[in-house]
Amino acid sequence: MKDDITREERVAGLKGMGCSRKRVEDARFTQGKGNYVDDIKLPGMLHGDFVRSPYAHARIKSINIDAAMALPGVVAVLTAKDLEPLGLHWMPTLAGDKQMVLADGKVLFQGQEVAFVVASDRYVAADAVELVEVDYEELEVLVDPFKSLQSDVVLREDLVAEDGSIPNGAHGPRKHPNHIFTWEVGEEEATNQVIDNAEVVATEEMYYHRTHPCPLETCGSVASMDKVNGKLTLWGTFQAPHVVRTVASILSGIEEHNIRVVSPDIGGGFGNKVGVYPGYVCSIVASIVTGVPVKWVEDRMENLMSTAFARDYWMKGKISATKEGKITGLHCHVTADHGAFDACADPTKFPAGFMNICTGSYDIPVAYLGVDGVYTNKAPGGVSYRCSFRVTEAVYFIERMIEVLAIELNMDPAKLRSINFIKKEQFPYTAALGWEYDSGDYQTAWDKALAAVDYTGLRAEQAQRVEDFKAGKTRKVMGIGLSFFTEIVGAGPVKNCDILGMGMFDSCEIRIHPTGSAVARLGTISQGQGHATTFAQILATEIGLPADSITIEEGDTDTAPYGLGTYGSRSTPVAGAATAMAGRKIRAKAQMIAAYLLEVHDDDVEFDVDRFVVKGAPERFKTMKDIAYAAYHQAIPGLEPGLEAVSYYDPPNMTYPFGAYVCVMDIDVDTGVPEIRRFYALDDCGTRINPMVIEGQIHGGLTEALAVALGQEIAYDDMGNVKTGTLMDFFLPTAWEVPNYETDFTVTPSPHHPIGAKGVGESPHVGGVPCFSNAVQDAFRPFGNRHTNMPHDHWRIWQTANSLGMHG
Ligand code: MCN
Ligand code: CUM
């Protein structure tokens, strides 16, 4: 047989790895044909809505539901008392704490769920919510974690013993009734010794404010209990559907095979949809009670006020160095505000996530990290928002510490980074706080970035601008924001990463059809990342069938193999690896089939793009399409019919993508308005599966970084009122604020990943926030600025200029 197309054409036809294949899911999204939770409409379906607390801390004296129940269309009003006999008035959190599903005796944050109204119609439910009368007795409110640790006011009365003693929490001893845990990593004494005797020391305190990912689609669920068949089906905004199924089975007593959890299309997750919310539980209970489907979909204000927040870290650092700028030690202490319940979505053994990557990209000989978790009267959550489990906080911390150390040393911060980078030949590198970085080439990336923006030229321009400002020739100052970040993504390893005891592996199952097309199902779930596009590309390259002939399915626990879901940029590092490994199993069987068909020994055929060829005789081959057909319809001695494979992958390590970002900003000191003149982002995520999807991820992550650094905040007043509960007050950037990003890359493959790929989804956010913040800070550095806290909104920037005496 002879081919009429070239090898290059055959490669291109697969649209495999490295191809900027257009996103296949966009055909439905751009035509309004997506299928989101709120699109699910079942016959007889009822609608739920919450009565929420207007107070941040109050005792509930009584709840009167009579008026609400009298409203036509109202079917039920559930309170904690109704859930208590089922043991569902409280639920376990992902962090080993427990959380009220509906207020049990008191409320602990504004917006807390107090009662669940179920009605025939969404609007009737909302009307009935207004008719539920709750009698509150206000209690003293604690919104400041430092005050909370000193206060006599006990927030969580359920966590204090009758004799007044304080039982241990999920992460060990607690020092105060409002204290959650202390987590320590590294050597404190040795670190202090180095810092106390150092030539140069920089100390700084910084607050990484509370924020919220605010996905376009809010959270919701539809529960449908089929009492005849004993089956519960649950559709919802779940980033980890299998985990939801297991937890739902344990809590409800319904056998796991009788529960089907489906994550349909998800309109952005960003970590907001990892946690378990009272709405999910209430919709299930209501459906079990009423025997008809019940939908719960929250509105925007509910989403901003009550679902998983991000950050809220008060960080205190000390960094030491020699006069020449070689860093010798790092000390970090964090006071972590977790709100009313500890519902952080971290792997169990890491109560502060991977904050212990706070030594960053630098070779720091000795370090210490201590974190104290604290209860306050704020919404629970934590570790959401493109964060890689607190890596955003870690990178912000170290990249600010580097900048203040540079001030202390009177040194250029780009040079200070170069002096301290972990060197290429040091990988795999074990950091002082325990992580083993798989691979990296930081200096090459840094040099490329600095050259691309003409860093020396920018610094000269900035010096001139300072002169001009001082001479009264301009009212605009110029900042050059730098950041170099190392990410840690792909949790995994089951040996040290689990959620509620569920090990963090992932999976892929492939079924090849006789005509050479295929379906592959994964344990992950896309929320906009384009998995249907990119995972098919991994398979196209691995098994030699066109990506266009491969359907990717995720999110239905009745069909997908068990997996731990999508967050922590783990899909590529873990499920992507499983996909490649399953593909290789297919290929191994295909090789035997090809050898049989070609009448040669197995070892005498080799894989080439889309076929197996006889070694040394490329004109003798069988395409994967031929092989697929034969796998089913030809009797092959010693082989079962069919062509399927499954892989459950437990990664040996995480992957460590990295990047070098530069932001150039002009700031009008009289209005406080920043103008981003340039943003350059170099990312290294190892082997690149789809460059266009990667670029999309980077644009999105950078825009969210801009938001957080320059204005987005969930702010509370002293009474615990949420001041930013609407999109009028909560900053969402639009095309108006967003610059043209310049993206670039280097490729340093992961040595342990089957295709060398690292994750990328959260990188731009992790590296972007310090870059935007450093740009603002750098603009004021020549005028005496050392550190100001985010968010750098116009008002705060104006205040910085004012405090530096730049207004007169
Ligand atoms: N990719 C690639 N080559 C690589 C690495 C990744 O082509 N070397 C592609 C992947 O195939 C995938 C995408 O980039 O299509 C992101 O992959 P990965 O980095 O593995 O991240 P996940 O798929 O696990 O996505 C999770 C990550 C997280 S944790 C947050 S938060 C976030 C993010 O993705 N939420 C998002 N990006 C988001 N993008 C959208 N549109 N919506 C969200 O909710
Ligand atoms: Cu931390 S946000 Mo993402 O892991 O879904």
Side-chain angles (χ1 to χ4, degrees):
M1 235 196 283
K2 199 82 187 122
D3 245 343
D4 47 5
I5 59 170
T6 66
R7 190 172 187 280
E8 286 67 38
E9 284 167 337
R10 287 196 279 127
V11 171
L14 292 181
K15 299 190 191 164
M17 280 191 275
C19 167
S20 283
R21 181 182 186 220
K22 283 191 181 161
R23 289 174 26 126
V24 295
E25 38 278 89
D26 289 349
R28 69 175 184 280
F29 294 152
T30 55
Q31 296 176 71
K33 300 283 185 200
N35 180 40
Y36 299 93
V37 171
D38 205 27
D39 292 321
I40 291 161
K41 297 184 170 81
L42 302 175
M45 187 171 78
L46 301 172
H47 298 261
D49 194 8
F50 279 112
V51 176
R52 291 178 181 274
S53 171
Y55 298 110
H57 196 196
R59 214 165 287 290
I60 295 184
K61 287 162 55 185
S62 64
I63 302 176
N64 185 343
I65 63 168
D66 295 348
M69 284 300 290
L71 190 72
V74 173
V75 176
V77 180
L78 301 178
T79 64
K81 281 204 178 63
D82 303 306
L83 300 184
E84 194 170 350
L86 307 168
L88 287 174
H89 54 319
W90 290 71
M91 63 179 181
T93 70
L94 294 176
D97 194 1
K98 55 189 175 125
Q99 173 178 351
M100 292 177 208
V101 173
L102 290 171
D104 184 21
K106 70 192 267 192
V107 287
L108 286 157
F109 64 94
Q110 188 181 53
Q112 187 177 333
E113 300 80 0
V114 175
F116 188 68
V117 174
V118 185
S120 56
D121 173 276
R122 181 70 180 79
Y123 297 95
V124 173
D127 288 345
V129 161
E130 301 297 322
L131 297 174
V132 175
E133 293 158 22
V134 187
D135 192 6
Y136 297 98
E137 176 192 324
E138 282 184 73
L139 299 170
E140 188 180 330
V141 172
L142 298 170
V143 285
D144 176 332
F146 298 98
K147 286 186 187 152
S148 182
L149 283 181
Q150 305 294 328
S151 176
D152 294 335
V153 177
V154 176
L155 298 180
R156 293 288 301 277
E157 287 153 14
D158 60 301
L159 297 180
V160 179
E162 270 173 28
D163 63 1
S165 66
I166 307 166
N168 282 2
H171 307 289
R174 304 190 297 129
K175 315 189 249 220
H176 181 277
N178 299 335
H179 180 239
I180 310 173
F181 63 83
T182 298
W183 188 53
E184 291 181 286
V185 196
E187 300 165 58
E188 181 158 39
E189 235 181 78
T191 304
N192 283 339
Q193 214 161 27
V194 166
I195 293 175
D196 291 345
N197 298 305
E199 291 174 355
V200 183
V201 178
T203 59
E204 193 52 71
E205 288 177 30
M206 57 194 89
Y207 177 45
Y208 198 140
H209 58 293
R210 181 177 271 239
T211 182
H212 189 284
C214 195
L216 272 183
E217 180 204 29
T218 60
C219 297
S221 57
V222 176
S224 178
M225 184 71 212
D226 171 352
K227 290 197 176 176
V228 175
N229 296 300
K231 292 239 175 209
L232 171 68
T233 306
L234 183 63
W235 292 264
T237 47
F238 310 133
Q239 288 184 225
H242 284 94
V243 176
V244 171
R245 187 184 70 187
T246 299
V247 173
S249 171
I250 292 169
L251 290 184
S252 69
I254 301 172
E255 276 196 277
E256 203 165 351
H257 73 286
N258 279 331
I259 301 178
R260 176 182 172 208
V261 175
V262 185
S263 298
D265 283 328
I266 295 182
F270 308 109
N272 192 233
K273 293 165 180 170
V274 176
V276 175
Y277 296 118
Y280 301 163
V281 178
C282 288
S283 65
I284 295 173
V285 173
S287 179
I288 292 175
V289 171
T290 60
V292 287
V294 176
K295 176 187 277 186
W296 165 72
V297 175
E298 67 188 2
D299 67 23
R300 180 62 57 195
M301 285 176 74
E302 295 181 290
N303 180 253
L304 282 170
M305 271 169 83
S306 69
T307 65
F309 73 92
R311 330 289 185 243
D312 221 340
Y313 258 32
W314 298 83
M315 305 183 282
K316 211 171 161 171
K318 269 189 267 180
I319 190 166
S320 62
T322 65
K323 284 194 297 263
E324 293 74 34
K326 178 73 192 79
I327 299 171
T328 53
L330 179 73
H331 188 288
C332 176
H333 183 268
V334 181
T335 301
D337 186 338
H338 284 219
F341 306 98
D342 187 7
C344 279
D346 292 307
T348 306
K349 293 188 186 74
F350 300 91
F354 303 153
M355 182 66 198
N356 58 325
I357 190 137
C358 63
T359 52
S361 315
Y362 312 106
D363 185 15
I364 301 182
V366 62
Y368 166 81
L369 166 71
V371 183
D372 281 296
V374 186
Y375 289 120
T376 59
N377 289 120
K378 298 182 187 171
V383 197
S384 67
Y385 209 166
R386 252 182 156 128
C387 64
S388 306
F389 302 123
R390 302 282 186 198
V391 185
T392 20
E393 288 89 327
V395 170
Y396 184 73
F397 170 78
I398 185 66
E399 290 304 289
R400 285 302 303 143
M401 290 310 293
I402 289 282
E403 294 284 319
V404 292
L405 179 61
I407 293 174
E408 210 65 60
L409 288 159
N410 195 21
M411 186 185 269
D412 181 283
K415 184 176 162 201
L416 180 59
R417 285 179 174 82
S418 284
I419 293 172
N420 290 288
F421 279 141
I422 299 161
K423 291 182 182 56
K424 192 178 168 182
E425 55 278 10
Q426 286 176 279
F427 291 92
Y429 170 85
T430 304
L433 296 179
W435 297 114
E436 189 190 296
Y437 296 24
D438 61 347
S439 64
D441 182 357
Y442 299 165
Q443 193 64 51
T444 301
W446 196 228
D447 291 342
K448 193 174 179 189
L450 297 183
V453 298
D454 180 21
Y455 183 66
T456 320
L458 285 174
R459 282 291 175 205
E461 186 189 343
Q462 187 190 37
Q464 183 59 48
R465 185 73 73 84
V466 173
E467 299 272 296
D468 289 351
F469 184 88
K470 288 183 174 161
K473 291 187 202 162
T474 178
R475 296 297 289 163
K476 284 189 181 174
V477 292
M478 173 181 162
I480 304 164
L482 302 176
S483 92
F484 195 98
F485 67 92
T486 298
E487 257 268 64
I488 165 173
V489 299
V494 170
K495 64 176 186 284
N496 61 3
C497 283
D498 66 83
I499 285 200
L500 293 177
M502 289 176 251
M504 296 174 78
F505 62 88
D506 229 289
S507 59
C508 173
E509 189 183 278
I510 308 169
R511 189 172 296 176
I512 313 277
H513 308 315
T515 52
S517 72
V519 57
R521 301 186 173 102
L522 286 78
T524 43
I525 172 72
S526 189
Q527 311 126 38
Q529 295 90 344
H531 290 178
T533 306
T534 53
F535 285 120
Q537 293 182 251
I538 297 178
L539 280 178
T541 299
E542 289 291 339
I543 64 178
L545 292 174
D548 288 345
S549 306
I550 303 169
T551 296
I552 300 290
E553 283 182 11
E554 297 177 308
D556 183 339
T557 60
D558 263 10
T559 52
Y562 203 101
L564 268 283
T566 292
Y567 41 84
S569 305
R570 66 187 296 280
S571 304
T572 303
V574 193
T579 303
M581 298 307 272
R584 286 171 197 185
K585 289 183 186 175
I586 297 276
R587 219 161 83 184
K589 184 168 181 185
Q591 178 161 4
M592 293 189 261
I593 297 170
Y596 173 80
L597 298 175
L598 291 161
E599 298 177 10
V600 293
H601 190 271
D602 289 359
D603 294 341
D604 293 332
V605 291
E606 62 188 353
F607 187 70
D608 181 49
V609 187
D610 56 354
R611 64 192 57 182
F612 277 94
V613 300
V614 175
K615 286 180 187 166
E619 71 288 353
R620 294 190 58 208
F621 63 85
K622 287 289 170 190
T623 65
M624 284 301 292
K625 251 174 115 87
D626 302 333
I627 294 166
Y629 200 82
Y632 287 90
H633 299 304
Q634 186 158 349
I636 300 172
L639 276 187
E640 295 179 2
L643 197 51
E644 297 186 10
V646 57
S647 167
Y648 287 84
Y649 190 82
D650 177 13
N653 190 4
M654 283 189 249
T655 65
Y656 296 75
F658 56 93
Y661 293 176
V662 185
C663 173
V664 185
M665 194 183 271
D666 294 305
I667 296 176
D668 184 324
V669 299
D670 296 317
T671 59
V673 176
E675 264 173 64
I676 299 152
R677 200 200 303 174
R678 199 164 175 192
F679 198 104
Y680 170 91
L682 178 151
D683 271 89
D684 190 320
C685 56
T687 305
R688 290 151 51 89
I689 300 159
N690 183 324
M692 186 163 67
V693 166
I694 292 172
E695 191 170 14
Q697 286 292 307
I698 290 168
H699 283 208
L702 289 176
T703 300
E704 291 184 319
L706 180 155
V708 169
L710 300 184
Q712 208 169 65
E713 181 181 23
I714 296 288
Y716 288 80
D717 70 11
D718 290 344
M719 312 262 296
N721 293 310
V722 179
K723 296 196 288 180
T724 50
T726 75
L727 294 185
M728 288 296 287
D729 309 294
F730 189 79
F731 171 51
L732 272 194
T734 60
W736 180 255
E737 290 91 2
V738 176
N740 279 316
Y741 300 116
E742 299 163 53
T743 56
D744 202 348
F745 64 98
T746 54
V747 176
T748 311
S750 168
H752 61 78
H753 188 284
I755 57 169
K758 302 180 177 185
V760 78
E762 290 158 307
S763 292
H765 194 71
V766 166
V769 175
C771 190
F772 284 110
S773 179
N774 280 345
V776 175
Q777 318 260 8
D778 183 76
F780 293 107
R781 174 178 166 174
F783 303 92
N785 175 60
R786 185 183 164 93
H787 175 80
T788 55
N789 280 331
M790 296 187 289
H792 306 293
D793 54 20
H794 303 171
W795 162 237
R796 286 189 181 85
I797 292 177
W798 183 91
Q799 276 184 313
T800 301
N802 201 48
S803 68
L804 295 170
M806 296 168 82
H807 289 152

